[in-house]
Amino acid sequence: MSDTDEDAEGPAVPLGEGEPVEGAPLARVASRLHYAIGKSEVVRREGNTVIRTPDGPRELAVILEETDEVYFDTKRAFEAAVRDVIGTGPIPTAEE
């Protein structure tokens, strides 16, 4: 790759023109944690983080209150437990 003015023009993939979606993707939050980890430690570190859900943005601590899991041995286990609570599907934008 060369350091030309073309690189500074903007992203190679055009971004949408709609309103940004509130909240962080679950995968981003999950990648900031180290596994194995207890639910209480996740709440301490990331509980105030708002994540994107099919029903709109929600605080992670509130979502974790709805799961019976107390320990996540892997990233996959954490994501599965959260998705069991929030479900899967398209994330609504501010326009929807």
Side-chain angles (χ1 to χ4, degrees):
M1 294 185 78
S2 65
D3 292 326
T4 64
D5 290 332
E6 291 177 29
D7 294 337
E9 287 181 21
V13 177
L15 302 176
E17 296 197 21
E19 292 293 318
V21 178
E22 185 179 343
L26 175 59
R28 182 184 306 155
V29 176
S31 69
R32 294 192 293 231
L33 300 170
H34 298 277
Y35 301 92
I37 191 168
K39 179 166 64 173
S40 62
E41 184 63 12
V42 174
V43 170
R44 186 184 72 77
R45 291 184 187 179
E46 296 288 341
N48 293 333
T49 302
V50 175
I51 65 167
R52 300 172 182 170
T53 76
D55 295 325
R58 291 180 61 192
E59 207 171 271
L60 183 58
V62 174
I63 293 167
L64 290 176
E65 287 176 4
E66 297 179 35
T67 183
D68 294 331
E69 300 295 326
V70 294
Y71 184 77
F72 308 106
D73 57 344
T74 64
K75 178 180 174 182
R76 182 172 286 168
F78 170 72
E79 289 178 338
V82 172
R83 284 199 175 96
D84 284 347
V85 173
I86 66 172
T88 58
I91 304 300
T93 63
E95 296 172 355
E96 294 184 89

